[in-house]
Amino acid sequence: MRTLAIDTSSAACSVALFDGARLVDAAHHIIGRGHAEQLLPLIAALPGGGAADRILVGCGPGSFTGVRVGIAAARALALGWGVEVSGFNSLALVAAGRADHGGGPCVVAMDGGHGEWLVQSFTAEGTAIGAFASLPSASVRGADPGALILGNRAAEYAAASGAGTAHDTLPDARHAMTMAADATGLPVRPVYARAPDAAVRA
């Protein structure tokens, strides 16, 4: 079975195509903005145009616009190809890359916008420990001295807590097949850290 994995929840526009658990090809571009313009061409450049038997897409938490772009593309491709689409926790995708940095339990610390960080802990097997938190950066405390900290706010998290080994990383679709089972199979809808800034008119 071929699987197309997509994550656009951060500054990275990341896609990967798998045959079973084997990585066929991938693209991981750090673009900041412009996911809507770059995502579909990245998928089209994969072998066979990225066509797969199922699609996995990052549902956040993360960039409000980026998450929506990824989900919209995944739904459209799933409809066109007649395949199933499932969501996953984008913070868990960061944690799935822990083997590149020695493995073991980890803390993921990502920029949540508005001066807040998205923080979630994971076991050595990649299982989430509780729900993610959206924390003001000034309130971060308490990492274990030997903690592995991943994410684009890893260094700041380690400095604020006074402990841990930090690695600056972003969600990378190449790690999608090593995510823990509890991170996948989510409903295909955005996971937000807070309510949208725009309010519905009364």
Side-chain angles (χ1 to χ4, degrees):
M1 173 182 284
R2 286 206 162 192
T3 301
L4 173 66
I6 299 169
D7 193 274
T8 52
S9 66
S10 71
C13 190
S14 194
V15 299
L17 182 65
F18 299 87
D19 187 353
R22 180 180 65 87
L23 178 64
V24 175
D25 198 7
H28 181 79
H29 295 180
I30 299 175
I31 62 173
R33 298 176 182 271
H35 295 81
E37 293 77 21
Q38 297 205 34
L39 177 58
L40 290 179
L42 285 183
I43 294 172
L46 295 171
D53 304 299
R54 66 168 182 158
I55 300 171
L56 296 176
V57 61
C59 294
S63 162
F64 179 88
T65 302
V67 167
R68 293 168 68 90
V69 166
I71 288 176
R75 285 175 170 168
L77 290 172
L79 181 62
W81 294 341
V83 301
E84 65 177 28
V85 57
S86 299
F88 63 80
N89 175 354
S90 295
L91 300 182
L93 183 59
V94 178
R98 66 197 178 282
D100 293 346
H101 307 286
C106 69
V107 177
V108 173
M110 292 289 295
D111 183 15
H114 298 270
E116 295 192 353
W117 297 345
L118 303 170
V119 178
Q120 191 165 22
S121 297
F122 295 85
T123 68
E125 294 72 36
T127 301
I129 303 173
F132 75 88
S134 183
L135 303 173
S137 57
S139 72
V140 172
R141 295 290 186 277
D144 294 331
L148 174 64
I149 306 171
L150 305 176
N152 63 353
R153 288 294 176 263
E156 293 94 332
Y157 185 97
S161 63
T165 302
H167 295 276
D168 188 352
T169 58
L170 292 172
D172 190 330
R174 289 173 290 190
H175 298 131
M177 302 307 288
T178 59
M179 284 189 293
D182 69 339
T184 61
L186 303 183
V188 185
R189 58 174 180 261
V191 175
Y192 298 130
R194 70 182 68 81
D197 294 331
V200 178
R201 292 185 178 180

